[in-house]
mmCIF file of all heavy atoms in Angstrom:
data_model
loop_
_atom_site.group_PDB
_atom_site.id
_atom_site.type_symbol
_atom_site.label_atom_id
_atom_site.label_comp_id
_atom_site.label_asym_id
_atom_site.label_seq_id
_atom_site.Cartn_x
_atom_site.Cartn_y
_atom_site.Cartn_z
ATOM 1 N N GLY A 12 4.357 -6.204 -4.030
ATOM 2 C CA GLY A 12 3.053 -6.857 -4.149
ATOM 3 C C GLY A 12 3.057 -8.263 -3.585
ATOM 4 O O GLY A 12 2.096 -9.006 -3.735
ATOM 5 N N ARG A 13 4.135 -8.629 -2.903
ATOM 6 C CA ARG A 13 4.238 -9.943 -2.259
ATOM 7 C C ARG A 13 4.246 -9.734 -0.748
ATOM 8 O O ARG A 13 4.995 -8.906 -0.249
ATOM 9 C CB ARG A 13 5.516 -10.669 -2.683
ATOM 10 C CG ARG A 13 5.530 -11.013 -4.153
ATOM 11 C CD ARG A 13 6.840 -11.692 -4.524
ATOM 12 N NE ARG A 13 6.888 -11.994 -5.925
ATOM 13 C CZ ARG A 13 6.533 -13.165 -6.451
ATOM 14 N NH1 ARG A 13 6.112 -14.132 -5.665
ATOM 15 N NH2 ARG A 13 6.621 -13.364 -7.748
ATOM 16 N N LEU A 14 3.436 -10.513 -0.066
ATOM 17 C CA LEU A 14 3.285 -10.347 1.372
ATOM 18 C C LEU A 14 4.561 -10.786 2.096
ATOM 19 O O LEU A 14 4.964 -11.938 2.026
ATOM 20 C CB LEU A 14 2.081 -11.148 1.867
ATOM 21 C CG LEU A 14 1.631 -10.883 3.276
ATOM 22 C CD1 LEU A 14 1.181 -9.429 3.444
ATOM 23 C CD2 LEU A 14 0.476 -11.813 3.642
ATOM 24 N N HIS A 15 5.194 -9.847 2.779
ATOM 25 C CA HIS A 15 6.416 -10.104 3.536
ATOM 26 C C HIS A 15 6.165 -10.106 5.045
ATOM 27 O O HIS A 15 7.079 -10.403 5.822
ATOM 28 C CB HIS A 15 7.469 -9.028 3.226
ATOM 29 C CG HIS A 15 8.150 -9.204 1.920
ATOM 30 N ND1 HIS A 15 7.549 -8.946 0.713
ATOM 31 C CD2 HIS A 15 9.403 -9.625 1.617
ATOM 32 C CE1 HIS A 15 8.391 -9.192 -0.264
ATOM 33 N NE2 HIS A 15 9.533 -9.606 0.256
ATOM 34 N N THR A 16 4.986 -9.719 5.470
ATOM 35 C CA THR A 16 4.667 -9.580 6.888
ATOM 36 C C THR A 16 3.254 -10.086 7.133
ATOM 37 O O THR A 16 2.613 -10.625 6.239
ATOM 38 C CB THR A 16 4.736 -8.100 7.310
ATOM 39 O OG1 THR A 16 3.760 -7.372 6.557
ATOM 40 C CG2 THR A 16 6.118 -7.509 7.097
ATOM 41 N N LYS A 17 2.760 -9.846 8.328
ATOM 42 C CA LYS A 17 1.365 -10.169 8.623
ATOM 43 C C LYS A 17 0.456 -9.267 7.795
ATOM 44 O O LYS A 17 0.759 -8.096 7.580
ATOM 45 C CB LYS A 17 1.077 -9.948 10.114
ATOM 46 C CG LYS A 17 1.837 -10.883 11.017
ATOM 47 C CD LYS A 17 1.516 -10.581 12.468
ATOM 48 C CE LYS A 17 2.303 -11.494 13.373
ATOM 49 N NZ LYS A 17 2.027 -11.203 14.797
ATOM 50 N N ILE A 18 -0.657 -9.800 7.354
ATOM 51 C CA ILE A 18 -1.571 -9.054 6.502
ATOM 52 C C ILE A 18 -2.088 -7.791 7.189
ATOM 53 O O ILE A 18 -2.315 -6.771 6.534
ATOM 54 C CB ILE A 18 -2.748 -9.940 6.010
ATOM 55 C CG1 ILE A 18 -3.582 -9.229 4.946
ATOM 56 C CG2 ILE A 18 -3.618 -10.379 7.174
ATOM 57 C CD1 ILE A 18 -2.891 -9.016 3.644
ATOM 58 N N GLU A 19 -2.233 -7.825 8.506
ATOM 59 C CA GLU A 19 -2.758 -6.629 9.189
ATOM 60 C C GLU A 19 -1.836 -5.419 9.016
ATOM 61 O O GLU A 19 -2.285 -4.287 9.037
ATOM 62 C CB GLU A 19 -3.043 -6.881 10.668
ATOM 63 C CG GLU A 19 -1.836 -7.232 11.494
ATOM 64 C CD GLU A 19 -1.833 -8.678 11.973
ATOM 65 O OE1 GLU A 19 -2.396 -9.554 11.309
ATOM 66 O OE2 GLU A 19 -1.241 -8.916 13.039
ATOM 67 N N TYR A 20 -0.538 -5.671 8.807
ATOM 68 C CA TYR A 20 0.378 -4.553 8.581
ATOM 69 C C TYR A 20 0.103 -3.864 7.241
ATOM 70 O O TYR A 20 0.299 -2.660 7.109
ATOM 71 C CB TYR A 20 1.833 -5.002 8.645
ATOM 72 C CG TYR A 20 2.270 -5.499 9.999
ATOM 73 C CD1 TYR A 20 3.186 -6.531 10.102
ATOM 74 C CD2 TYR A 20 1.773 -4.946 11.174
ATOM 75 C CE1 TYR A 20 3.605 -6.993 11.341
ATOM 76 C CE2 TYR A 20 2.185 -5.406 12.405
ATOM 77 C CZ TYR A 20 3.097 -6.432 12.488
ATOM 78 O OH TYR A 20 3.514 -6.886 13.706
ATOM 79 N N LEU A 21 -0.334 -4.633 6.256
ATOM 80 C CA LEU A 21 -0.672 -4.032 4.969
ATOM 81 C C LEU A 21 -1.838 -3.053 5.151
ATOM 82 O O LEU A 21 -1.797 -1.935 4.637
ATOM 83 C CB LEU A 21 -1.025 -5.109 3.945
ATOM 84 C CG LEU A 21 -1.453 -4.603 2.574
ATOM 85 C CD1 LEU A 21 -0.379 -3.725 1.934
ATOM 86 C CD2 LEU A 21 -1.801 -5.768 1.675
ATOM 87 N N TYR A 22 -2.856 -3.468 5.884
ATOM 88 C CA TYR A 22 -3.983 -2.572 6.169
ATOM 89 C C TYR A 22 -3.486 -1.316 6.891
ATOM 90 O O TYR A 22 -3.835 -0.197 6.517
ATOM 91 C CB TYR A 22 -5.029 -3.267 7.041
ATOM 92 C CG TYR A 22 -5.844 -4.315 6.332
ATOM 93 C CD1 TYR A 22 -5.414 -5.628 6.252
ATOM 94 C CD2 TYR A 22 -7.069 -3.992 5.754
ATOM 95 C CE1 TYR A 22 -6.174 -6.605 5.618
ATOM 96 C CE2 TYR A 22 -7.840 -4.954 5.125
ATOM 97 C CZ TYR A 22 -7.379 -6.257 5.061
ATOM 98 O OH TYR A 22 -8.135 -7.205 4.428
ATOM 99 N N GLU A 23 -2.677 -1.506 7.934
ATOM 100 C CA GLU A 23 -2.165 -0.375 8.719
ATOM 101 C C GLU A 23 -1.330 0.570 7.859
ATOM 102 O O GLU A 23 -1.482 1.792 7.952
ATOM 103 C CB GLU A 23 -1.304 -0.875 9.885
ATOM 104 C CG GLU A 23 -2.076 -1.557 10.981
ATOM 105 C CD GLU A 23 -1.158 -2.167 12.035
ATOM 106 O OE1 GLU A 23 0.061 -1.857 12.049
ATOM 107 O OE2 GLU A 23 -1.661 -2.967 12.847
ATOM 108 N N ASP A 24 -0.458 0.014 7.040
ATOM 109 C CA ASP A 24 0.441 0.850 6.243
ATOM 110 C C ASP A 24 -0.313 1.619 5.165
ATOM 111 O O ASP A 24 -0.047 2.802 4.937
ATOM 112 C CB ASP A 24 1.563 0.005 5.644
ATOM 113 C CG ASP A 24 2.473 -0.583 6.722
ATOM 114 O OD1 ASP A 24 2.501 -0.033 7.846
ATOM 115 O OD2 ASP A 24 3.140 -1.590 6.444
ATOM 116 N N LEU A 25 -1.267 0.978 4.514
ATOM 117 C CA LEU A 25 -2.068 1.686 3.516
ATOM 118 C C LEU A 25 -2.936 2.758 4.172
ATOM 119 O O LEU A 25 -3.113 3.839 3.619
ATOM 120 C CB LEU A 25 -2.914 0.704 2.709
ATOM 121 C CG LEU A 25 -2.145 -0.114 1.684
ATOM 122 C CD1 LEU A 25 -3.023 -1.206 1.090
ATOM 123 C CD2 LEU A 25 -1.560 0.761 0.590
ATOM 124 N N GLU A 26 -3.467 2.475 5.353
ATOM 125 C CA GLU A 26 -4.247 3.482 6.063
ATOM 126 C C GLU A 26 -3.368 4.661 6.472
ATOM 127 O O GLU A 26 -3.777 5.811 6.368
ATOM 128 C CB GLU A 26 -4.937 2.866 7.275
ATOM 129 C CG GLU A 26 -6.093 1.969 6.896
ATOM 130 C CD GLU A 26 -6.790 1.311 8.077
ATOM 131 O OE1 GLU A 26 -6.330 1.458 9.234
ATOM 132 O OE2 GLU A 26 -7.815 0.652 7.842
ATOM 133 N N MET A 27 -2.147 4.377 6.905
ATOM 134 C CA MET A 27 -1.229 5.452 7.282
ATOM 135 C C MET A 27 -0.871 6.304 6.069
ATOM 136 O O MET A 27 -0.887 7.528 6.124
ATOM 137 C CB MET A 27 0.044 4.855 7.911
ATOM 138 C CG MET A 27 1.077 5.876 8.366
ATOM 139 S SD MET A 27 2.262 6.439 7.110
ATOM 140 C CE MET A 27 3.084 4.938 6.658
ATOM 141 N N LEU A 28 -0.562 5.664 4.952
ATOM 142 C CA LEU A 28 -0.168 6.400 3.758
ATOM 143 C C LEU A 28 -1.322 7.223 3.184
ATOM 144 O O LEU A 28 -1.135 8.376 2.809
ATOM 145 C CB LEU A 28 0.365 5.447 2.688
ATOM 146 C CG LEU A 28 1.720 4.816 2.957
ATOM 147 C CD1 LEU A 28 2.031 3.761 1.907
ATOM 148 C CD2 LEU A 28 2.815 5.874 2.996
ATOM 149 N N THR A 29 -2.503 6.627 3.124
ATOM 150 C CA THR A 29 -3.636 7.300 2.487
ATOM 151 C C THR A 29 -4.399 8.216 3.431
ATOM 152 O O THR A 29 -5.120 9.098 2.973
ATOM 153 C CB THR A 29 -4.629 6.280 1.916
ATOM 154 O OG1 THR A 29 -5.187 5.507 2.989
ATOM 155 C CG2 THR A 29 -3.979 5.368 0.887
ATOM 156 N N GLY A 30 -4.274 7.965 4.729
ATOM 157 C CA GLY A 30 -5.057 8.731 5.697
ATOM 158 C C GLY A 30 -6.493 8.249 5.807
ATOM 159 O O GLY A 30 -7.312 8.872 6.468
ATOM 160 N N GLU A 31 -6.805 7.137 5.166
ATOM 161 C CA GLU A 31 -8.167 6.585 5.182
ATOM 162 C C GLU A 31 -8.211 5.367 6.091
ATOM 163 O O GLU A 31 -7.448 4.428 5.915
ATOM 164 C CB GLU A 31 -8.600 6.179 3.765
ATOM 165 C CG GLU A 31 -8.715 7.327 2.806
ATOM 166 C CD GLU A 31 -9.830 8.294 3.148
ATOM 167 O OE1 GLU A 31 -10.889 7.860 3.643
ATOM 168 O OE2 GLU A 31 -9.637 9.501 2.930
ATOM 169 N N LYS A 32 -9.129 5.386 7.035
ATOM 170 C CA LYS A 32 -9.318 4.242 7.943
ATOM 171 C C LYS A 32 -10.410 3.335 7.393
ATOM 172 O O LYS A 32 -11.281 3.770 6.642
ATOM 173 C CB LYS A 32 -9.723 4.732 9.341
ATOM 174 C CG LYS A 32 -8.702 5.629 9.992
ATOM 175 C CD LYS A 32 -7.486 4.871 10.406
ATOM 176 C CE LYS A 32 -6.521 5.782 11.135
ATOM 177 N NZ LYS A 32 -5.204 5.247 11.204
ATOM 178 N N GLY A 33 -10.364 2.088 7.783
ATOM 179 C CA GLY A 33 -11.437 1.156 7.434
ATOM 180 C C GLY A 33 -11.320 0.542 6.051
ATOM 181 O O GLY A 33 -12.333 0.161 5.464
ATOM 182 N N LEU A 34 -10.106 0.437 5.516
ATOM 183 C CA LEU A 34 -9.948 -0.231 4.224
ATOM 184 C C LEU A 34 -10.395 -1.681 4.344
ATOM 185 O O LEU A 34 -10.120 -2.351 5.343
ATOM 186 C CB LEU A 34 -8.488 -0.187 3.768
ATOM 187 C CG LEU A 34 -7.954 1.173 3.359
ATOM 188 C CD1 LEU A 34 -6.462 1.094 3.081
ATOM 189 C CD2 LEU A 34 -8.689 1.715 2.149
ATOM 190 N N MET A 35 -11.084 -2.144 3.321
ATOM 191 C CA MET A 35 -11.551 -3.530 3.285
ATOM 192 C C MET A 35 -10.739 -4.308 2.264
ATOM 193 O O MET A 35 -10.090 -3.718 1.386
ATOM 194 C CB MET A 35 -13.037 -3.563 2.948
ATOM 195 C CG MET A 35 -13.891 -2.947 4.047
ATOM 196 S SD MET A 35 -15.635 -3.009 3.665
ATOM 197 C CE MET A 35 -15.834 -1.405 2.883
ATOM 198 N N THR A 36 -10.788 -5.605 2.369
ATOM 199 C CA THR A 36 -9.963 -6.484 1.549
ATOM 200 C C THR A 36 -10.084 -6.175 0.064
ATOM 201 O O THR A 36 -9.079 -6.113 -0.645
ATOM 202 C CB THR A 36 -10.322 -7.958 1.814
ATOM 203 O OG1 THR A 36 -10.160 -8.217 3.215
ATOM 204 C CG2 THR A 36 -9.441 -8.907 1.028
ATOM 205 N N HIS A 37 -11.300 -5.967 -0.422
ATOM 206 C CA HIS A 37 -11.476 -5.727 -1.859
ATOM 207 C C HIS A 37 -10.895 -4.377 -2.291
ATOM 208 O O HIS A 37 -10.719 -4.129 -3.478
ATOM 209 C CB HIS A 37 -12.961 -5.823 -2.246
ATOM 210 C CG HIS A 37 -13.799 -4.683 -1.760
ATOM 211 N ND1 HIS A 37 -14.254 -4.602 -0.466
ATOM 212 C CD2 HIS A 37 -14.244 -3.579 -2.399
ATOM 213 C CE1 HIS A 37 -14.955 -3.495 -0.322
ATOM 214 N NE2 HIS A 37 -14.975 -2.848 -1.482
ATOM 215 N N MET A 38 -10.554 -3.511 -1.328
ATOM 216 C CA MET A 38 -10.001 -2.197 -1.635
ATOM 217 C C MET A 38 -8.473 -2.199 -1.716
ATOM 218 O O MET A 38 -7.882 -1.263 -2.262
ATOM 219 C CB MET A 38 -10.429 -1.194 -0.555
ATOM 220 C CG MET A 38 -11.914 -1.048 -0.412
ATOM 221 S SD MET A 38 -12.296 -0.182 1.123
ATOM 222 C CE MET A 38 -13.090 1.259 0.452
ATOM 223 N N LEU A 39 -7.838 -3.217 -1.177
ATOM 224 C CA LEU A 39 -6.375 -3.229 -1.080
ATOM 225 C C LEU A 39 -5.668 -3.104 -2.428
ATOM 226 O O LEU A 39 -4.737 -2.293 -2.550
ATOM 227 C CB LEU A 39 -5.891 -4.474 -0.337
ATOM 228 C CG LEU A 39 -6.322 -4.598 1.126
ATOM 229 C CD1 LEU A 39 -5.764 -5.884 1.729
ATOM 230 C CD2 LEU A 39 -5.925 -3.394 1.930
#
Side-chain angles (χ1 to χ4, degrees):
R13 295 178 182 266
L14 191 62
H15 283 73
T16 62
K17 295 179 181 179
I18 189 68
E19 63 249 29
Y20 295 145
L21 178 58
Y22 287 88
E23 290 174 13
D24 295 338
L25 285 171
E26 287 179 355
M27 181 274 299
L28 289 172
T29 64
E31 295 293 325
K32 300 289 184 198
L34 290 174
M35 294 181 267
T36 303
H37 71 281
M38 301 166 118
L39 297 180

